[in-house]
Amino acid sequence: MISCRYVIVGAGFAGASTACHLARRGAREIVLLEQEKVAGVHSSGRNASMIRQVVSEPALIRLTKEGASFLRSLPADWPVPVSFQRSGSLLLGSGEGWNRLQREAETARQAGIEVEIWSRERARDCAPVLKDADFEGAVWCPTDGVVDIHALLSGYLKAATSLGVQVRYGCSVQGVQVENGRAVGVVTSDGLIRAEVVVNAAGPWAGAVAEMAGAVVAPLRPCRRHLFITAPLSWVDPGWPFVWDDAHGLYFRPDSGGLLLCPCDQEEMAPGIPPTDNRIAELLAEKIRQRFPAISDVAIRKSWAGLRTLSPDGRFVIGWDPKISGFFWVAGLGGHGVTTSPSVGRLAAALILDPGDKSGEPFSPGRFLR
Ligand SMILES: Cc1cc2nc3c(=O)[nH]c(=O)nc-3n(C[C@H](O)[C@H](O)[C@H](O)COP(=O)(O)OP(=O)(O)OC[C@H]3O[C@@H](n4cnc5c(N)ncnc54)[C@H](O)[C@@H]3O)c2cc1C
């Protein structure tokens, strides 16, 4: 049997960043458990790598801002170089969606994020591929960009292990031990691990891990989303920003000499690696034909799908469980877990180590207690 102070379930961005920040704050005896043989097999290795700060849920804005500024200038002692391409983003709006997007941009501006409202013409000058696209205006966020997600995840893990965090791969948590209403350890495929704090960073499995503990039922929904990569395209400028048509659910950005495209599909699935569905390729083709005719003749070279774990109110689930003491949540990061990984890990570590810290209230799992 192993004993430690903190056992963290899941080595995706949520668990790896929490382990890293706990260790950087001076916490010791941390064990990070990952059921797969390597990190990044699930959502954290299957996403679009975009750092987007203007988001619809106001409580997330301070986390996106903090996350993006951390990624733009990593600490001097960061153990792994992480490329961040500061391409900026263009969020396109039309109809009622354009009014909403402008309100979101204003909230972001008040939070200190650099944003500008651009006319359609200005957006088209920046990304000529939008010449036939129909939209009313765009929000330009120059400090957004694209990050190397594999280097970023390995940076959290390396920073954590260099400070003594023990990472155990191929170790699956099968039960949470609870004594007198307090989590005291986990039952794993490698045996029992006793701990003072159990951190649930299990991504799409967070609901299952919480159930093992008898913790609050957070209605999290793992939802599938597909991504597509085209063959190289001579007319794509690798310096273009990422373009997101919020109202119609479609985004694209330069990738591998061509484009990465997403039709923003959303279908609830069981945790695991979701199968791809050919009908979504048809959905993508239809959306492109309607919204961006200039890119309708592209050949798809590769596609895959991943899970975004969504909460009903769009807010993350970070904090102490209201039913089981010693059980801490870092879950429900939805479609923002890369952007916010630095701030989520920092916030989780602060809430674990500073009992009086109230800054996580909007994310408290207590909101699901009935
Ligand atoms: C298609 C797509 C595009 C996206 N694009 C972006 C983007 O551009 N920008 C952005 O910010 N975000 C994006 N996201 C969201 C982002 O990928 C997620 O929010 C983030 O990766 C979630 O990290 P996580 O650590 O919570 O989950 P995960 O990465 O799934 O990690 C959870 C880990 O827990 C492990 N685990 C689970 N149960 C157990 C157990 N019982 N025992 C041991 N280990 C266990 C799993 O194996 C897994 O490795 C996107 C997501 C998808 C699917």
Side-chain angles (χ1 to χ4, degrees):
M1 186 186 75
I2 300 171
S3 280
C4 61
R5 289 198 73 177
Y6 309 94
V7 67
I8 302 174
V9 187
F13 279 120
S17 179
T18 300
C20 165
H21 281 87
L22 275 172
R24 284 172 80 89
R25 288 273 315 258
R28 292 294 174 263
E29 297 182 60
I30 303 166
V31 177
L32 175 58
L33 304 178
E34 172 52 53
Q35 64 188 357
E36 305 290 352
K37 291 195 173 68
V38 289
V41 170
H42 296 286
S43 312
S44 298
R46 306 179 71 78
N47 57 71
S49 313
M50 298 182 312
I51 301 306
R52 173 178 168 167
Q53 296 166 88
V54 178
V55 293
S56 52
E57 170 48 52
L60 295 187
I61 297 256
R62 68 186 163 100
L63 299 182
T64 60
K65 178 180 181 245
E66 181 187 333
S69 64
F70 181 96
L71 296 172
R72 283 195 304 272
S73 60
L74 290 168
D77 60 348
W78 199 247
V80 176
V82 179
S83 90
F84 178 81
Q85 195 196 350
R86 194 173 147 165
S87 56
S89 66
L90 270 178
L91 312 178
L92 311 185
S94 39
E96 173 43 31
W98 178 222
N99 296 334
R100 197 186 57 240
L101 193 55
Q102 289 179 90
R103 285 195 298 274
E104 289 168 14
E106 180 53 24
T107 309
R109 197 189 58 74
Q110 283 171 12
I113 297 169
E114 214 179 318
V115 282
E116 291 172 28
I117 304 296
W118 279 9
S119 67
R120 191 169 44 188
E121 290 65 37
R122 184 137 187 225
R124 285 175 175 165
D125 283 347
C126 171
V129 68
L130 298 177
K131 67 179 185 319
D132 299 325
D134 182 20
F135 59 98
E136 275 172 57
V139 170
W140 165 244
C141 183
T143 54
D144 278 353
V146 178
V147 73
D148 178 342
I149 51 169
H150 301 290
L152 179 61
L153 186 58
S154 89
Y156 289 124
L157 292 166
K158 211 163 177 185
T161 49
S162 71
L163 292 167
V165 174
Q166 193 192 127
V167 188
R168 296 172 78 104
Y169 293 103
C171 181
S172 159
V173 170
Q174 297 159 347
V176 177
Q177 282 211 317
V178 175
E179 288 170 9
N180 302 320
R182 177 167 195 92
V184 293
V186 289
V187 181
T188 79
S189 49
D190 291 350
L192 182 62
I193 301 181
R194 297 282 287 187
E196 290 168 27
V197 173
V198 175
V199 178
N200 179 7
W205 287 266
V209 171
E211 200 178 331
M212 292 174 196
V216 73
V217 178
L220 295 175
R221 294 189 312 132
C223 288
R224 177 173 66 182
R225 178 159 283 184
H226 288 70
L227 295 172
F228 298 84
I229 304 267
T230 69
L233 300 162
S234 58
W235 44 267
V236 168
D237 177 345
W240 281 343
F242 65 80
V243 173
W244 199 315
D245 181 343
D246 258 338
H248 300 91
L250 182 61
Y251 65 74
F252 65 87
R253 66 166 177 80
D255 191 293
S256 318
L259 292 173
L260 175 147
L261 298 146
C262 178
C264 296
D265 52 307
Q266 182 169 305
E267 187 180 352
E268 192 166 348
M269 293 261 140
I273 294 182
T276 54
D277 180 343
N278 288 337
R279 285 170 307 175
I280 305 299
E282 289 162 26
L283 173 74
L284 175 70
E286 181 57 22
K287 283 191 174 188
I288 292 177
R289 201 178 55 72
Q290 286 181 7
R291 304 301 310 161
F292 301 113
I295 54 174
S296 49
D297 279 334
V298 294
I300 300 299
R301 200 184 54 185
K302 186 167 119 184
S303 65
W304 70 92
L307 295 176
R308 299 175 315 132
T309 302
L310 307 174
S311 68
D313 54 14
R315 299 205 300 272
F316 300 165
V317 184
I318 306 174
W320 293 106
D321 188 80
K323 284 174 71 185
I324 303 296
S325 58
F327 188 82
F328 190 91
W329 292 74
V330 194
L333 305 188
H336 306 291
V338 181
T339 308
T340 59
S341 56
S343 43
V344 160
R346 197 265 316 139
L347 176 64
L351 298 177
I352 291 170
L353 298 176
D354 308 328
D357 191 323
K358 297 275 177 270
S359 62
E361 240 148 48
F363 310 109
S364 166
R367 70 192 192 272
F368 300 117
L369 192 63
R370 274 187 238 146

